[in-house]
Amino acid sequence: MAYRSVSLASPVQRTYSLGGNSVLSTPCSMCGRVHSASDHANVMVDMPQDPADLIADLTQMGFYRPQTLAVAEAMSQAEVRTALFVKMAGQNDPKRERLVLDLIKLAGGLDQAFSATFGPKAGEFFADAQIKSQFTRRKFLQNVAVGAALVTLANCAQQPDQEATEESTSSGTRELEKTDLSIAFLPITCATPIIMSKPLGFYERQGLNVTLMKYASWALVRDAAIAGELDAYHMLAPMPISISLGLGSTAFPLKLASIENNNGQGIVVAKKHLGKVNGPADFAGMSIAIPFDYSNHNLLIRYYLASGGLDPDKDVRLLVTPPPDAIAQMSAGQIDAFILPDNFGQRAVFEDIGFIHMLTKDLWPGHPCCAFAASQNWIDQHPNTFRAVNKAIIDGANYANDPANRAEVAAAIAPREYLNQPVEVLEAVMTGNFDDGQGNSLEVPDRIYFDPYPWKSFSGWISTQLVRWGYMPTDQANYDEIAEQVFLTDLARELSEELGVDAPQELTRVENLKTAPFDPADPEGYLKAQVDKFGR
């Protein structure tokens, strides 16, 4: 609605009249309504600066009826907060405002939406700010009304076109096909976003009631997934590739939806070998525990040993060992070393039975370890629920990635029902401030971090190593096709952007491994060069 200034009755009191009687036929160049640009400008120039004056004027001129404030006075706190949030976040864009409203509904309420956007303490902060404010409730409500009026007048009659309105209406709110979910996890720090999203409320904000199912080994998770006993899974990053291709199991199409953690693994050696292990060649003859054949742990230890001239299939014994069993086996002298998630590496130091020889970040900086995955069939049946749970986990990963939140996250995942680890062990992993068992106190901020973006180049390197070590037949090594079919990179970007988090636009990147960079544009060339230099 457009207005033009008629007179100034006093420095405080003003009167207005509607511009509806204008005989102009040319639309205003500033807003598109039928009145002169000078009338538009005069309204804005003469606009009172004092909110109370503006409320009085708007009420007097009929923009707000006198009973409007009475209605506003009766509004619930939740309604006021919703109106304020929608105007702030919507930026007066109807499509954007509809999205905000949809997200609020999806989050289960505005408090949850605030927490999803600004962190779990935002709701408390907002309430405290109102309590401590010097403004009265009436004044607060007036200012909400003023904000809405100013936005309306500043963008007077900026109407969405019909196409945009129809698009907004047709998009609607995605209804969840299922809200009670069972998700598998192993008790390791790599599962942090999946685990912490339960106690810290990230699932609940997406309207989900998640039961976390603790498993002892990756083989059990794989079998339960294929049997249809679960809705979604915490998996090692290579597992969606191997299971989808039927490597070591029945072929069962899976999607890798987001990465759970980067780095966060270590090569740990029993204390009896302290001072005797300085490089890969020194592992000759040792028994080394790995969590699963189709794991980056297995692929990285093979890569490392081969760089020192060892044949991983002949010169050492690689033993598939459930991560929770590794500490007991090292303590009993049954294994000489292991490559496992850092909570077990740090636990070996804590128990004084082993030392950290190397962090896997020194082999492949930023490498993925674990991932969130779901079956193609389940996704097809529950597309909206899949988006919601993946979004919750991506949200949790971004929260965990902030170093300021690491101590809180460590405490959230430490209890018996989750990792069952001492908080000090988890804090050492999460913060990167730790003792290595060799008498050194180290500070490695990126010992572990949580970037949920599933680069397709991750898939490329993993696939080359599956070929290199005989897990994948060469004729199945369609590198680009595997990455395209298994890694949902575009969806992860889309959900991140919905959460207000920047995500890369590229699908791949050069991975800077220790012995040579991996260029995803030439996986065959990389594999050949590695084999030629270091052997199979």
Side-chain angles (χ1 to χ4, degrees), residues 82-103:
T82 299
L84 180 61
F85 185 82
V86 170
K87 279 298 176 187
M88 176 187 71
Q91 298 179 4
N92 208 48
D93 181 338
K95 290 193 292 185
R96 187 181 177 93
E97 288 186 11
R98 182 176 293 278
L99 174 61
V100 171
L101 288 168
D102 286 349
L103 291 174

Side-chain angles (χ1 to χ4, degrees), residues 261-315:
N261 72 297
N262 307 78
N263 301 334
Q265 320 301 307
I267 301 173
V268 173
V269 181
K271 205 65 177 286
K272 64 184 179 182
H273 297 294
L274 184 62
K276 303 174 187 177
V277 178
N278 299 303
D282 297 326
F283 285 83
M286 287 191 181
S287 297
I288 306 172
I290 59 173
F292 197 55
D293 284 331
Y294 301 96
S295 68
N296 269 342
H297 309 79
N298 182 28
L299 302 181
L300 283 170
I301 194 65
R302 288 172 173 272
Y303 170 86
Y304 179 55
L305 295 172
S307 73
L310 299 183
D311 183 333
D313 291 313
K314 296 179 180 179
D315 298 325

Side-chain angles (χ1 to χ4, degrees), residues 256-257 259 364 368 451-461 479-494 497 503-511 518-521:
L256 188 152
I259 297 298
W364 180 7
D451 180 355
Y453 193 72
W455 291 94
K456 290 186 186 292
S457 45
F458 292 165
S459 172
W461 187 85
Y479 297 104
D480 291 341
E481 183 178 330
I482 292 170
E484 183 63 29
Q485 290 183 358
V486 178
F487 276 49
L488 299 181
T489 308
D490 290 331
L491 177 60
R493 180 194 307 111
E494 180 182 336
E497 290 173 348
Q505 297 302 307
E506 301 81 9
L507 298 176
T508 65
R509 66 183 184 186
V510 173
E511 303 294 340
F518 169 72
D519 183 351

Side-chain angles (χ1 to χ4, degrees), residues 176-466:
L176 302 181
E177 301 86 3
K178 184 177 184 180
T179 57
D180 294 333
L181 305 181
S182 296
I183 300 178
F185 78 97
L186 259 67
I188 55 179
T189 46
C190 309
T192 291
I194 287 176
I195 296 172
M196 59 165 275
S197 292
K198 174 75 171 182
L200 297 185
F202 289 91
Y203 293 127
E204 185 179 357
R205 289 175 205 136
Q206 298 298 331
L208 300 169
N209 176 36
V210 170
T211 299
L212 295 174
M213 310 291 290
K214 185 188 290 190
Y215 281 74
S217 74
W218 295 113
L220 291 174
V221 172
R222 176 199 60 198
D223 294 346
I226 294 173
E229 298 172 1
L230 300 160
D231 294 294
Y233 340 101
H234 164 213
M235 284 187 167
L236 297 158
M239 288 175 66
I241 296 174
S242 65
I243 297 172
S244 294
L245 295 177
L247 307 179
S249 69
T250 301
F252 182 68
L254 292 174
K255 298 297 186 184
L256 188 152
S258 53
I259 297 298
E260 292 306 291
N261 72 297
N262 307 78
N263 301 334
Q265 320 301 307
I267 301 173
V268 173
V269 181
K271 205 65 177 286
K272 64 184 179 182
H273 297 294
L274 184 62
K276 303 174 187 177
V277 178
N278 299 303
D282 297 326
F283 285 83
M286 287 191 181
S287 297
I288 306 172
I290 59 173
F292 197 55
D293 284 331
Y294 301 96
S295 68
N296 269 342
H297 309 79
N298 182 28
L299 302 181
L300 283 170
I301 194 65
R302 288 172 173 272
Y303 170 86
Y304 179 55
L305 295 172
S307 73
L310 299 183
D311 183 333
D313 291 313
K314 296 179 180 179
D315 298 325
V316 300
R317 293 177 63 224
L318 296 178
L319 307 173
V320 174
T321 305
D325 296 342
I327 297 297
Q329 291 191 19
M330 180 169 282
S331 181
Q334 296 172 347
I335 56 175
D336 297 289
F338 63 69
I339 178 169
L340 291 171
D342 273 346
N343 58 300
F344 292 101
Q346 201 61 48
R347 185 64 181 266
V349 173
F350 183 78
E351 301 287 350
D352 197 30
I353 61 172
F355 63 91
I356 298 170
H357 167 66
M358 175 183 285
L359 298 178
T360 52
K361 69 176 288 293
D362 296 325
L363 294 174
W364 180 7
H367 72 81
C369 175
C370 289
F372 170 64
S375 74
Q376 181 64 67
N377 183 57
W378 191 87
I379 294 170
D380 291 343
Q381 294 179 8
H382 309 89
N384 299 334
T385 300
F386 172 64
R387 286 180 64 94
V389 67
N390 194 18
K391 190 171 184 178
I393 291 170
I394 289 174
D395 198 11
N398 288 320
Y399 186 78
N401 205 35
D402 186 343
N405 300 329
R406 297 288 178 84
E408 177 189 7
V409 170
I413 65 177
R416 185 178 186 85
E417 64 267 34
Y418 302 133
L419 266 59
N420 193 26
Q421 295 281 343
V423 173
E424 55 265 40
V425 168
L426 299 181
E427 285 185 351
V429 174
M430 291 290 185
T431 64
N433 299 317
F434 63 97
D435 295 331
D436 66 357
Q438 302 185 66
N440 304 308
S441 294
L442 304 178
E443 184 174 346
V444 185
D446 61 345
R447 179 181 185 177
I448 189 172
Y449 67 92
F450 306 92
D451 180 355
Y453 193 72
W455 291 94
K456 290 186 186 292
S457 45
F458 292 165
S459 172
W461 187 85
I462 290 168
S463 296
T464 64
Q465 301 308 294
L466 292 175

